[in-house]
């Protein structure tokens, strides 16, 4: 069983910062890609940022130069540092991972439960 647990969401004023964390746990052999998606009410879920093993991070155009994704491979954890937050960043943020489980050595995609980020004055 694999679990992704997010933390760090909350209410912040425009221009403020938040840092999201997502820890993957369970019978994990290797994590190839970790990323963050978000979904606002009435909208489709969209990619915010992702990073693969040995690859450069990629970002949605709307968050470039404001958000930074990073990984701690030893802890199976991914972070999203969000600066200069805008009201349009308000959404539920979901952690995503493409990983191989130890038991079957099968590649699968996993999601966390999400954490709410609200940007309002």
């Amino acid at each position: 069983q694999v679990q992704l647990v997010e933390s760090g969401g909350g209410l912040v004023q425009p221009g403020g910062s938040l840092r999201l964390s997502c820890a993957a746990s369970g019978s994990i052999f290797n994590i190839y890609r970790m990323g963050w998606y978000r979904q606002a009410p009435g909208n489709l879920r969209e990619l915010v940022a992702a990073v693969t093993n040995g690859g450069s991070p990629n970002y949605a155009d709307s968050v470039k130069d404001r958000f930074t994704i990073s990984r701690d491979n030893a802890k199976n954890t991914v972070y999203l540092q969000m600066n200069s937050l805008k009201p349009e960043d308000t959404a539920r943020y979901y952690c995503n991972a493409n990983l191989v489980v130890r038991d079957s050595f099968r590649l699968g995609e996993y999601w966390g439960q999400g954490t709410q980020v609200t940007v309002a004055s």
Side-chain angles (χ1 to χ4, degrees):
Q1 194 88 9
V2 172
Q3 282 190 319
L4 303 182
V5 179
E6 303 103 333
S7 62
L11 173 64
V12 64
Q13 292 187 341
S17 298
L18 282 175
R19 188 189 193 213
L20 306 183
S21 300
C22 170
S25 63
S27 183
I28 297 171
F29 176 72
N30 194 19
I31 303 177
Y32 290 95
R33 177 182 182 273
M34 295 191 82
W36 291 94
Y37 289 72
R38 67 186 181 187
Q39 187 169 19
N43 290 356
L44 296 174
R45 191 173 295 189
E46 62 176 1
L47 173 69
V48 177
V51 60
T52 58
N53 284 350
S56 299
N58 63 293
Y59 297 93
D61 288 342
S62 59
V63 306
K64 280 180 181 177
D65 300 323
R66 298 189 299 122
F67 291 9
T68 301
I69 189 171
S70 60
R71 278 178 65 176
D72 184 334
N73 291 330
K75 296 181 179 179
N76 286 339
T77 299
V78 65
Y79 305 95
L80 185 68
Q81 178 66 43
M82 304 185 294
N83 299 329
S84 302
L85 282 160
K86 304 175 181 179
E88 50 263 44
D89 294 317
T90 296
R92 191 163 185 85
Y93 284 69
Y94 295 89
C95 180
N96 172 270
N98 299 98
L99 58 87
V100 174
V101 295
R102 191 174 300 277
D103 303 351
S104 63
F105 293 98
R106 288 182 180 178
L107 178 66
E109 183 177 34
Y110 295 83
W111 292 90
Q113 294 295 313
T115 184
Q116 180 66 34
V117 172
T118 302
V119 185
S121 54

